[in-house]
Amino acid sequence: MQTDHRKTRIKGLFSKYRVLLIFGLCLFILGYFWQASKGSWLKRKISILCDTQRNKTNVLHGLPEIALPRMVYSKPHIFKPPRTDVLTMTPWLAPIIWDGTFNLEILNEQFRQRNTTIGLTVFAIKKYVVFLQRFLATAETYFMVGHRVKYYIFTDRPEAIPNMNVKEGREIVPLRVQNYPRWQEISMRRMEMLSYYSQQRFIHEVDFLVCVDADMQFSNEVGVEILSEVFGTIHPGFYAAERQAFTYERRSTSEAYIPLDEGDFYYCGCFFGGTVAEVHKLTKKCHEAIMADKSKSLEAIWHEESHLNKYFVYHKPTKILSPEYLWDNGLGSPQFLKKKRFLTVPKNHAAIRNKRNSNLK
């Protein structure tokens, strides 16, 4: 009797709470599948985040990672510097570039990854167009081999630019500019024109600018080892001189004035460069100083070169080119000079410049 009563009671309870039991079972099943799907969703989310992070890791400054080819070269040694006969580092940690201090194969690969384009600016005003043929021919042989180059030729005679074929990825770009009666004025106006075109055009077309003179020729390789934020070149006439012997502007009334106890090197005005933004800053500052002097009826002793040297005293270059990158064969062949990469062209200054102002620069 008691057993039957107990069974009847259990059946009653089951009947009474059956709906709740079924509802609870449904909730359990739904909860199980929800948790499973949630785990799968989390896995997918984590996978997406990991993929995104991997993609970010493979990008350097917005550029996709490129696998480097095998490169076999001598291991650098801490206690075996490549050059001990010359200064290779400034007190502000800017390297001075000499033969033997860099591996061009490594540097070429790095700059190719960045897809770098270099602008080479040259001024060929009046009779200076006669130097363009040799300048461009030697540049095609030795300048930035394997990289994209735009030759920006500032001239008042674009029709006189040599009609020559250049390598793939290179282009001759004539830029017509105004002529001036005095060669000193032409020389100083270069800073104005470089500043203007850097802001208006070059910034959209190239990554680096190299600014040189037309009456020069390349005689050995000049490559990406020179490129930096802003660089200058040691003048071949003053590489061993003390600062008191530098032909800085010494008149305190000039914007180019440098005191006798200041200065590091004497930089030439015919080979400097850097990123477009830095070249714009440099040339803008020099042009403003030139015009300030002009308002006082002053001209610095060596014109734009004097202002360039003033700029580099207080805005240190991030890389310095040794005299290998600007040499005059009239100075001989000192033992430390392993290569002569960029040479002055022998010329008659008086025949090239106007007759009234035929003094040597």
mmCIF file of all heavy atoms in Angstrom, residues 47-63:
data_model
loop_
_atom_site.group_PDB
_atom_site.id
_atom_site.type_symbol
_atom_site.label_atom_id
_atom_site.label_comp_id
_atom_site.label_asym_id
_atom_site.label_seq_id
_atom_site.Cartn_x
_atom_site.Cartn_y
_atom_site.Cartn_z
ATOM 1 N N SER A 47 41.655 34.486 -33.758
ATOM 2 C CA SER A 47 42.384 34.210 -35.001
ATOM 3 C C SER A 47 42.519 35.459 -35.854
ATOM 4 O O SER A 47 43.587 35.751 -36.410
ATOM 5 C CB SER A 47 41.661 33.110 -35.783
ATOM 6 O OG SER A 47 42.294 32.888 -37.004
ATOM 7 N N ILE A 48 41.419 36.243 -35.943
ATOM 8 C CA ILE A 48 41.441 37.483 -36.730
ATOM 9 C C ILE A 48 42.438 38.468 -36.134
ATOM 10 O O ILE A 48 43.220 39.095 -36.836
ATOM 11 C CB ILE A 48 40.037 38.108 -36.799
ATOM 12 C CG1 ILE A 48 39.116 37.229 -37.659
ATOM 13 C CG2 ILE A 48 40.092 39.529 -37.362
ATOM 14 C CD1 ILE A 48 37.654 37.622 -37.584
ATOM 15 N N LEU A 49 42.404 38.590 -34.785
ATOM 16 C CA LEU A 49 43.325 39.511 -34.119
ATOM 17 C C LEU A 49 44.778 39.096 -34.335
ATOM 18 O O LEU A 49 45.649 39.931 -34.554
ATOM 19 C CB LEU A 49 43.010 39.569 -32.620
ATOM 20 C CG LEU A 49 41.739 40.320 -32.229
ATOM 21 C CD1 LEU A 49 41.442 40.120 -30.748
ATOM 22 C CD2 LEU A 49 41.877 41.808 -32.543
ATOM 23 N N CYS A 50 45.011 37.786 -34.277
ATOM 24 C CA CYS A 50 46.380 37.299 -34.491
ATOM 25 C C CYS A 50 46.846 37.575 -35.913
ATOM 26 O O CYS A 50 47.978 37.987 -36.142
ATOM 27 C CB CYS A 50 46.463 35.800 -34.202
ATOM 28 S SG CYS A 50 46.335 35.397 -32.437
ATOM 29 N N ASP A 51 45.937 37.337 -36.873
ATOM 30 C CA ASP A 51 46.282 37.607 -38.269
ATOM 31 C C ASP A 51 46.590 39.087 -38.471
ATOM 32 O O ASP A 51 47.530 39.455 -39.175
ATOM 33 C CB ASP A 51 45.143 37.193 -39.203
ATOM 34 C CG ASP A 51 45.014 35.671 -39.293
ATOM 35 O OD1 ASP A 51 45.991 34.984 -38.925
ATOM 36 O OD2 ASP A 51 43.944 35.196 -39.716
ATOM 37 N N THR A 52 45.751 39.934 -37.834
ATOM 38 C CA THR A 52 45.971 41.380 -37.949
ATOM 39 C C THR A 52 47.315 41.776 -37.365
ATOM 40 O O THR A 52 48.050 42.580 -37.938
ATOM 41 C CB THR A 52 44.849 42.143 -37.218
ATOM 42 O OG1 THR A 52 43.594 41.762 -37.774
ATOM 43 C CG2 THR A 52 45.034 43.651 -37.357
ATOM 44 N N GLN A 53 47.640 41.184 -36.216
ATOM 45 C CA GLN A 53 48.911 41.502 -35.581
ATOM 46 C C GLN A 53 50.079 41.041 -36.433
ATOM 47 O O GLN A 53 51.096 41.725 -36.558
ATOM 48 C CB GLN A 53 48.989 40.848 -34.186
ATOM 49 C CG GLN A 53 50.190 41.288 -33.363
ATOM 50 C CD GLN A 53 50.193 42.785 -33.135
ATOM 51 O OE1 GLN A 53 49.152 43.383 -32.894
ATOM 52 N NE2 GLN A 53 51.353 43.400 -33.236
ATOM 53 N N ARG A 54 49.911 39.844 -37.062
ATOM 54 C CA ARG A 54 50.970 39.353 -37.941
ATOM 55 C C ARG A 54 51.160 40.289 -39.122
ATOM 56 O O ARG A 54 52.273 40.570 -39.545
ATOM 57 C CB ARG A 54 50.641 37.936 -38.428
ATOM 58 C CG ARG A 54 51.034 36.837 -37.442
ATOM 59 C CD ARG A 54 51.025 35.492 -38.107
ATOM 60 N NE ARG A 54 49.688 35.097 -38.523
ATOM 61 C CZ ARG A 54 48.826 34.436 -37.774
ATOM 62 N NH1 ARG A 54 49.166 34.088 -36.538
ATOM 63 N NH2 ARG A 54 47.631 34.106 -38.233
ATOM 64 N N ASN A 55 50.038 40.783 -39.647
ATOM 65 C CA ASN A 55 50.120 41.714 -40.770
ATOM 66 C C ASN A 55 50.828 43.000 -40.358
ATOM 67 O O ASN A 55 51.604 43.564 -41.112
ATOM 68 C CB ASN A 55 48.728 42.039 -41.323
ATOM 69 C CG ASN A 55 48.120 40.856 -42.049
ATOM 70 O OD1 ASN A 55 48.843 39.990 -42.537
ATOM 71 N ND2 ASN A 55 46.796 40.818 -42.119
ATOM 72 N N LYS A 56 50.509 43.460 -39.131
ATOM 73 C CA LYS A 56 51.164 44.672 -38.638
ATOM 74 C C LYS A 56 52.662 44.435 -38.469
ATOM 75 O O LYS A 56 53.481 45.292 -38.748
ATOM 76 C CB LYS A 56 50.561 45.105 -37.297
ATOM 77 C CG LYS A 56 49.175 45.730 -37.425
ATOM 78 C CD LYS A 56 48.672 46.171 -36.075
ATOM 79 C CE LYS A 56 47.300 46.828 -36.184
ATOM 80 N NZ LYS A 56 46.787 47.230 -34.867
ATOM 81 N N THR A 57 53.014 43.230 -37.990
ATOM 82 C CA THR A 57 54.416 42.908 -37.789
ATOM 83 C C THR A 57 55.166 42.906 -39.106
ATOM 84 O O THR A 57 56.339 43.260 -39.175
ATOM 85 C CB THR A 57 54.545 41.529 -37.105
ATOM 86 O OG1 THR A 57 53.804 41.552 -35.891
ATOM 87 C CG2 THR A 57 56.012 41.213 -36.803
ATOM 88 N N ASN A 58 54.476 42.527 -40.180
ATOM 89 C CA ASN A 58 55.119 42.439 -41.487
ATOM 90 C C ASN A 58 55.157 43.754 -42.226
ATOM 91 O O ASN A 58 55.489 43.810 -43.401
ATOM 92 C CB ASN A 58 54.391 41.405 -42.357
ATOM 93 C CG ASN A 58 54.636 39.986 -41.868
ATOM 94 O OD1 ASN A 58 55.617 39.744 -41.197
ATOM 95 N ND2 ASN A 58 53.736 39.077 -42.196
ATOM 96 N N VAL A 59 54.769 44.856 -41.552
ATOM 97 C CA VAL A 59 54.779 46.165 -42.199
ATOM 98 C C VAL A 59 55.728 47.080 -41.445
ATOM 99 O O VAL A 59 55.680 47.182 -40.231
ATOM 100 C CB VAL A 59 53.353 46.768 -42.213
ATOM 101 C CG1 VAL A 59 53.404 48.192 -42.741
ATOM 102 C CG2 VAL A 59 52.429 45.921 -43.075
ATOM 103 N N LEU A 60 56.634 47.709 -42.171
ATOM 104 C CA LEU A 60 57.595 48.636 -41.593
ATOM 105 C C LEU A 60 57.404 49.986 -42.239
ATOM 106 O O LEU A 60 57.634 50.149 -43.426
ATOM 107 C CB LEU A 60 59.022 48.137 -41.828
ATOM 108 C CG LEU A 60 60.153 49.024 -41.306
ATOM 109 C CD1 LEU A 60 60.077 49.134 -39.791
ATOM 110 C CD2 LEU A 60 61.502 48.477 -41.737
ATOM 111 N N HIS A 61 56.918 50.953 -41.433
ATOM 112 C CA HIS A 61 56.665 52.305 -41.945
ATOM 113 C C HIS A 61 55.721 52.271 -43.146
ATOM 114 O O HIS A 61 55.920 52.978 -44.128
ATOM 115 C CB HIS A 61 57.986 52.979 -42.318
ATOM 116 C CG HIS A 61 58.946 53.074 -41.181
ATOM 117 N ND1 HIS A 61 58.615 53.659 -39.981
ATOM 118 C CD2 HIS A 61 60.213 52.640 -41.056
ATOM 119 C CE1 HIS A 61 59.643 53.598 -39.168
ATOM 120 N NE2 HIS A 61 60.621 52.975 -39.791
ATOM 121 N N GLY A 62 54.699 51.415 -43.087
ATOM 122 C CA GLY A 62 53.710 51.387 -44.159
ATOM 123 C C GLY A 62 54.134 50.583 -45.372
ATOM 124 O O GLY A 62 53.412 50.540 -46.365
ATOM 125 N N LEU A 63 55.300 49.922 -45.317
ATOM 126 C CA LEU A 63 55.764 49.151 -46.461
ATOM 127 C C LEU A 63 55.730 47.659 -46.140
ATOM 128 O O LEU A 63 56.093 47.252 -45.040
ATOM 129 C CB LEU A 63 57.199 49.554 -46.824
ATOM 130 C CG LEU A 63 57.381 51.004 -47.252
ATOM 131 C CD1 LEU A 63 58.870 51.287 -47.441
ATOM 132 C CD2 LEU A 63 56.632 51.275 -48.543
#
